[in-house]
PDB file of all heavy atoms in Angstrom:
ATOM      1  N   LYS Y 653      -7.517  88.185  13.551  1.00  0.00           N
ATOM      2  CA  LYS Y 653      -6.177  88.569  13.996  1.00  0.00           C
ATOM      3  C   LYS Y 653      -5.456  89.283  12.858  1.00  0.00           C
ATOM      4  O   LYS Y 653      -5.257  88.720  11.785  1.00  0.00           O
ATOM      5  CB  LYS Y 653      -5.388  87.336  14.434  1.00  0.00           C
ATOM      6  CG  LYS Y 653      -5.738  86.860  15.830  1.00  0.00           C
ATOM      7  CD  LYS Y 653      -4.762  85.809  16.319  1.00  0.00           C
ATOM      8  CE  LYS Y 653      -5.067  85.414  17.770  1.00  0.00           C
ATOM      9  NZ  LYS Y 653      -4.099  84.418  18.273  1.00  0.00           N
ATOM     10  N   ILE Y 654      -5.091  90.519  13.094  1.00  0.00           N
ATOM     11  CA  ILE Y 654      -4.336  91.306  12.124  1.00  0.00           C
ATOM     12  C   ILE Y 654      -3.048  91.749  12.799  1.00  0.00           C
ATOM     13  O   ILE Y 654      -3.070  92.472  13.793  1.00  0.00           O
ATOM     14  CB  ILE Y 654      -5.139  92.533  11.642  1.00  0.00           C
ATOM     15  CG1 ILE Y 654      -6.434  92.069  10.953  1.00  0.00           C
ATOM     16  CG2 ILE Y 654      -4.306  93.372  10.682  1.00  0.00           C
ATOM     17  CD1 ILE Y 654      -7.300  93.198  10.456  1.00  0.00           C
ATOM     18  N   GLY Y 655      -1.918  91.285  12.270  1.00  0.00           N
ATOM     19  CA  GLY Y 655      -0.639  91.592  12.898  1.00  0.00           C
ATOM     20  C   GLY Y 655      -0.512  90.996  14.283  1.00  0.00           C
ATOM     21  O   GLY Y 655       0.146  91.550  15.165  1.00  0.00           O
ATOM     22  N   GLY Y 656      -1.206  89.856  14.497  1.00  0.00           N
ATOM     23  CA  GLY Y 656      -1.151  89.187  15.786  1.00  0.00           C
ATOM     24  C   GLY Y 656      -2.069  89.768  16.832  1.00  0.00           C
ATOM     25  O   GLY Y 656      -2.096  89.300  17.969  1.00  0.00           O
ATOM     26  N   VAL Y 657      -2.866  90.781  16.438  1.00  0.00           N
ATOM     27  CA  VAL Y 657      -3.768  91.437  17.384  1.00  0.00           C
ATOM     28  C   VAL Y 657      -5.222  91.129  17.008  1.00  0.00           C
ATOM     29  O   VAL Y 657      -5.613  91.235  15.840  1.00  0.00           O
ATOM     30  CB  VAL Y 657      -3.559  92.970  17.383  1.00  0.00           C
ATOM     31  CG1 VAL Y 657      -4.510  93.644  18.365  1.00  0.00           C
ATOM     32  CG2 VAL Y 657      -2.108  93.301  17.725  1.00  0.00           C
ATOM     33  N   ARG Y 658      -6.026  90.716  17.990  1.00  0.00           N
ATOM     34  CA  ARG Y 658      -7.451  90.458  17.748  1.00  0.00           C
ATOM     35  C   ARG Y 658      -8.148  91.789  17.495  1.00  0.00           C
ATOM     36  O   ARG Y 658      -8.226  92.648  18.370  1.00  0.00           O
ATOM     37  CB  ARG Y 658      -8.086  89.738  18.943  1.00  0.00           C
ATOM     38  CG  ARG Y 658      -9.513  89.254  18.694  1.00  0.00           C
ATOM     39  CD  ARG Y 658      -9.970  88.375  19.837  1.00  0.00           C
ATOM     40  NE  ARG Y 658     -11.283  87.800  19.596  1.00  0.00           N
ATOM     41  CZ  ARG Y 658     -12.419  88.305  20.032  1.00  0.00           C
ATOM     42  NH1 ARG Y 658     -12.402  89.434  20.755  1.00  0.00           N
ATOM     43  NH2 ARG Y 658     -13.567  87.722  19.782  1.00  0.00           N
ATOM     44  N   THR Y 659      -8.664  91.937  16.283  1.00  0.00           N
ATOM     45  CA  THR Y 659      -9.206  93.218  15.838  1.00  0.00           C
ATOM     46  C   THR Y 659     -10.670  93.088  15.464  1.00  0.00           C
ATOM     47  O   THR Y 659     -11.069  92.124  14.801  1.00  0.00           O
ATOM     48  CB  THR Y 659      -8.411  93.728  14.615  1.00  0.00           C
ATOM     49  OG1 THR Y 659      -7.019  93.768  14.940  1.00  0.00           O
ATOM     50  CG2 THR Y 659      -8.881  95.113  14.205  1.00  0.00           C
ATOM     51  N   LYS Y 660     -11.475  94.042  15.886  1.00  0.00           N
ATOM     52  CA  LYS Y 660     -12.896  94.084  15.525  1.00  0.00           C
ATOM     53  C   LYS Y 660     -13.026  94.627  14.111  1.00  0.00           C
ATOM     54  O   LYS Y 660     -12.578  95.721  13.788  1.00  0.00           O
ATOM     55  CB  LYS Y 660     -13.650  94.996  16.499  1.00  0.00           C
ATOM     56  CG  LYS Y 660     -15.140  95.176  16.161  1.00  0.00           C
ATOM     57  CD  LYS Y 660     -15.929  93.932  16.487  1.00  0.00           C
ATOM     58  CE  LYS Y 660     -17.433  94.223  16.499  1.00  0.00           C
ATOM     59  NZ  LYS Y 660     -17.962  94.635  15.198  1.00  0.00           N
ATOM     60  N   LEU Y 661     -13.643  93.823  13.238  1.00  0.00           N
ATOM     61  CA  LEU Y 661     -13.849  94.207  11.849  1.00  0.00           C
ATOM     62  C   LEU Y 661     -15.310  94.552  11.615  1.00  0.00           C
ATOM     63  O   LEU Y 661     -16.149  94.417  12.506  1.00  0.00           O
ATOM     64  CB  LEU Y 661     -13.420  93.067  10.921  1.00  0.00           C
ATOM     65  CG  LEU Y 661     -11.975  92.575  11.072  1.00  0.00           C
ATOM     66  CD1 LEU Y 661     -11.732  91.399  10.157  1.00  0.00           C
ATOM     67  CD2 LEU Y 661     -10.993  93.694  10.775  1.00  0.00           C
ATOM     68  N   GLU Y 662     -15.605  94.969  10.397  1.00  0.00           N
ATOM     69  CA  GLU Y 662     -16.983  95.252  10.032  1.00  0.00           C
ATOM     70  C   GLU Y 662     -17.815  93.985  10.213  1.00  0.00           C
ATOM     71  O   GLU Y 662     -17.397  92.886   9.837  1.00  0.00           O
ATOM     72  CB  GLU Y 662     -17.060  95.705   8.571  1.00  0.00           C
ATOM     73  CG  GLU Y 662     -18.373  96.319   8.160  1.00  0.00           C
ATOM     74  CD  GLU Y 662     -18.582  97.717   8.694  1.00  0.00           C
ATOM     75  OE1 GLU Y 662     -17.622  98.502   8.685  1.00  0.00           O
ATOM     76  OE2 GLU Y 662     -19.723  98.014   9.114  1.00  0.00           O
ATOM     77  N   ASP Y 663     -19.005  94.132  10.819  1.00  0.00           N
ATOM     78  CA  ASP Y 663     -19.857  92.973  11.087  1.00  0.00           C
ATOM     79  C   ASP Y 663     -20.304  92.290   9.794  1.00  0.00           C
ATOM     80  O   ASP Y 663     -20.342  92.899   8.720  1.00  0.00           O
ATOM     81  CB  ASP Y 663     -21.097  93.399  11.877  1.00  0.00           C
ATOM     82  CG  ASP Y 663     -20.760  93.893  13.277  1.00  0.00           C
ATOM     83  OD1 ASP Y 663     -19.726  93.465  13.809  1.00  0.00           O
ATOM     84  OD2 ASP Y 663     -21.535  94.701  13.820  1.00  0.00           O
ATOM     85  N   HIS Y 664     -20.661  91.006   9.917  1.00  0.00           N
ATOM     86  CA  HIS Y 664     -21.263  90.288   8.799  1.00  0.00           C
ATOM     87  C   HIS Y 664     -22.742  90.641   8.699  1.00  0.00           C
ATOM     88  O   HIS Y 664     -23.439  90.745   9.711  1.00  0.00           O
ATOM     89  CB  HIS Y 664     -21.131  88.775   8.981  1.00  0.00           C
ATOM     90  CG  HIS Y 664     -19.710  88.280   8.980  1.00  0.00           C
ATOM     91  ND1 HIS Y 664     -18.762  88.749   8.106  1.00  0.00           N
ATOM     92  CD2 HIS Y 664     -19.092  87.342   9.753  1.00  0.00           C
ATOM     93  CE1 HIS Y 664     -17.621  88.126   8.336  1.00  0.00           C
ATOM     94  NE2 HIS Y 664     -17.792  87.272   9.330  1.00  0.00           N
ATOM     95  N   SER Y 665     -23.211  90.812   7.480  1.00  0.00           N
ATOM     96  CA  SER Y 665     -24.623  91.122   7.229  1.00  0.00           C
ATOM     97  C   SER Y 665     -25.374  89.826   6.938  1.00  0.00           C
ATOM     98  O   SER Y 665     -25.000  89.067   6.031  1.00  0.00           O
ATOM     99  CB  SER Y 665     -24.734  92.076   6.035  1.00  0.00           C
ATOM    100  OG  SER Y 665     -26.084  92.401   5.764  1.00  0.00           O
ATOM    101  N   ILE Y 666     -26.438  89.570   7.705  1.00  0.00           N
ATOM    102  CA  ILE Y 666     -27.176  88.309   7.603  1.00  0.00           C
ATOM    103  C   ILE Y 666     -28.666  88.609   7.448  1.00  0.00           C
ATOM    104  O   ILE Y 666     -29.191  89.555   8.040  1.00  0.00           O
ATOM    105  CB  ILE Y 666     -26.975  87.444   8.862  1.00  0.00           C
ATOM    106  CG1 ILE Y 666     -25.483  87.268   9.162  1.00  0.00           C
ATOM    107  CG2 ILE Y 666     -27.655  86.086   8.723  1.00  0.00           C
ATOM    108  CD1 ILE Y 666     -25.207  86.676  10.527  1.00  0.00           C
ATOM    109  N   PHE Y 667     -29.322  87.785   6.648  1.00  0.00           N
ATOM    110  CA  PHE Y 667     -30.774  87.897   6.557  1.00  0.00           C
ATOM    111  C   PHE Y 667     -31.348  86.523   6.211  1.00  0.00           C
ATOM    112  O   PHE Y 667     -30.805  85.806   5.372  1.00  0.00           O
ATOM    113  CB  PHE Y 667     -31.188  88.903   5.483  1.00  0.00           C
ATOM    114  CG  PHE Y 667     -32.573  89.448   5.655  1.00  0.00           C
ATOM    115  CD1 PHE Y 667     -32.792  90.615   6.362  1.00  0.00           C
ATOM    116  CD2 PHE Y 667     -33.672  88.789   5.132  1.00  0.00           C
ATOM    117  CE1 PHE Y 667     -34.075  91.133   6.545  1.00  0.00           C
ATOM    118  CE2 PHE Y 667     -34.955  89.280   5.296  1.00  0.00           C
ATOM    119  CZ  PHE Y 667     -35.157  90.455   6.009  1.00  0.00           C
TER     120      PHE Y 667
END
Side-chain angles (χ1 to χ4, degrees):
K653 280 191 176 182
I654 299 179
V657 180
R658 188 171 185 265
T659 306
K660 177 73 165 64
L661 303 176
E662 193 74 41
D663 294 334
H664 296 318
S665 180
I666 308 168
F667 201 92

